[in-house]
Amino acid sequence: MTPTTRPFLPPSFSLLLFLLFITLSLNLNTQSVYAQSPTLRRRSAYTLYNNQFYIQGGILSGVNTGSNEFNSLNLAAAWPTIAAPWTTLPAGKQGWHHAMVAIEPKFSAGIGSGTQGYILSIGGTPAVGQGFWSAFDIQTKQWKNVSVEAADISLVPYVELQGHTATVDPTTGLVYVIGGYDGLNSNALLPEVTNLLTVYDPNTGKLLSQERATTDNSLTGANAIWSTERGTVMLLGGSRAVVTVSVVGLDMSILTEYSPSKKTWTSMGRFPKPV
C-alpha cells in the first residue's frame, strides 16, 4: 500500500500562518476592549478596591467640560499592553478635582446595605449641592447621593470643596478628607480659612470632627495614604494654591504624617536621594 502523503509546509510558512492568526486574534480583542477604554481626561478621581482600579469624572481633553464617565480596570488579570481590559460602569456625577475612596461593606451602614461595598465620591467642582457625597453600590451598580449629618452642632458640612485628597483607616472605616480649597470662598486670602481636615464615619453617616488647616495640610492636589503599620495618614506632594498666583509645587521628597490619636502633624523628613 502506498502511504498517504501530506504536503509539506516550510517552517517559515507555518510560522507565518501562526503569527497571522495571533495578530488577527489580538486585533479583534483590541477592538472589543478599546470600545470601553476611558475617554482622555484629567483631574479625575480614582481609588483601588478588591484588585479593581476605579477612575471617575475629570476634565475632557481639549475642552473645559466635565466628564461623568466611570471606568474600572481589573488588576488581577494579565492582558496585552495594547489591550487593557477596561470596563465602562454607570456614569457618576459630572465634575472634576474630587476624591474617591472605597468603603468596605462592614463599615457602610450609613451609606446603604450593599454586600460588596461602595465607592464613595467626595466633593469636586462645579458645586453639586446634594451630590457633594455620592456612592456607587458595587453590588447593584447604581449611584446615589449620600446624606451626611454633623455629629456636633459646631461641625459644618462643606458645600463645595475641590483639590482635596482622602484616605480610609481600614481598621475603623473612618474617612479622612485633607486639604483642598473652597471655590465659593473667593475672598479668602489665607488657605487656613478655606479648608479643614474632616473625619467622616460611613458607618453612622456622620461627620465626627473638623480641624482647621495647618501649614502641613493646607494644600491642594496632594496624595494621602493610610499607614496600617503606624496607624497614621501619610501625605505627599501638592501645592499651596489658593489663588492662581499662589500655585507652587511642594517638594516631593518630603513626607508628612498625621496622627489621629494625637491630632498632630509631624515631618517624616526627606526621602534619601537615589545613588
Side-chain angles (χ1 to χ4, degrees):
M1 178 182 293
T2 303
T4 302
T5 60
R6 296 179 180 177
F8 173 75
L9 296 179
S12 58
F13 185 68
S14 301
L15 180 60
L16 179 61
L17 289 178
F18 175 75
L19 291 177
L20 180 60
F21 171 78
I22 293 298
T23 301
L24 289 174
S25 298
L26 284 178
N27 285 340
L28 290 175
N29 182 49
T30 300
Q31 291 174 3
S32 63
V33 172
Y34 276 152
Q36 299 186 62
S37 294
T39 303
L40 293 177
R41 56 196 197 268
R42 58 191 174 90
R43 288 192 176 179
S44 302
Y46 57 90
T47 192
L48 179 67
Y49 183 57
N50 286 346
N51 291 319
Q52 294 285 333
F53 175 67
Y54 294 91
I55 179 171
Q56 197 278 321
I59 302 176
L60 294 172
S61 179
V63 294
N64 196 31
T65 302
S67 169
N68 62 0
E69 190 172 327
F70 186 35
N71 316 90
S72 68
L73 178 64
N74 183 3
L75 301 181
W79 66 84
T81 55
I82 61 171
W86 286 99
T87 298
T88 299
L89 298 169
K93 63 186 179 184
Q94 184 173 347
W96 61 91
H97 229 188
H98 51 313
M100 285 201 316
V101 293
I103 306 298
E104 295 183 58
K106 63 183 178 181
F107 299 125
S108 67
I111 299 177
S113 57
T115 61
Q116 297 180 27
Y118 293 84
I119 302 300
L120 182 67
S121 177
I122 308 166
T125 187
V128 289
Q130 293 295 320
F132 183 92
W133 304 86
S134 61
F136 177 75
D137 187 329
I138 297 175
Q139 179 183 8
T140 64
K141 293 182 171 50
Q142 293 181 341
W143 283 94
K144 68 175 182 178
N145 290 336
V146 176
S147 297
V148 174
E149 300 177 357
D152 185 275
I153 194 172
S154 65
L155 305 177
V156 181
Y158 272 115
V159 176
E160 181 181 2
L161 185 67
Q162 57 181 299
H164 48 293
T165 184
T167 189
V168 178
D169 176 354
T171 61
T172 63
L174 297 182
V175 178
Y176 293 81
V177 184
I178 303 165
Y181 60 96
D182 181 353
L184 297 179
N185 194 0
S186 58
N187 294 323
L189 298 178
L190 298 176
E192 287 79 7
V193 301
T194 60
N195 63 62
L196 307 166
L197 189 157
T198 299
V199 182
Y200 165 69
D201 183 0
N203 197 43
T204 62
K206 293 183 178 181
L207 296 182
L208 299 186
S209 64
Q210 289 177 324
E211 298 175 35
R212 284 292 179 186
T214 69
T215 54
D216 291 302
N217 67 349
S218 174
L219 43 74
T220 183
N223 297 283
I225 62 171
W226 180 266
S227 170
T228 303
E229 180 72 21
R230 299 176 63 85
T232 58
V233 176
M234 298 290 185
L235 197 65
L236 181 68
S239 68
R240 301 294 185 203
V242 178
V243 293
T244 303
V245 294
S246 302
V247 177
V248 177
L250 300 181
D251 189 340
M252 288 295 289
S253 67
I254 298 177
L255 183 68
T256 55
E257 179 183 41
Y258 175 73
S259 171
S261 60
K262 298 178 182 178
K263 296 186 183 301
T264 57
W265 285 92
T266 56
S267 174
M268 297 291 289
R270 293 178 178 272
F271 292 118
K273 294 183 179 180
V275 178

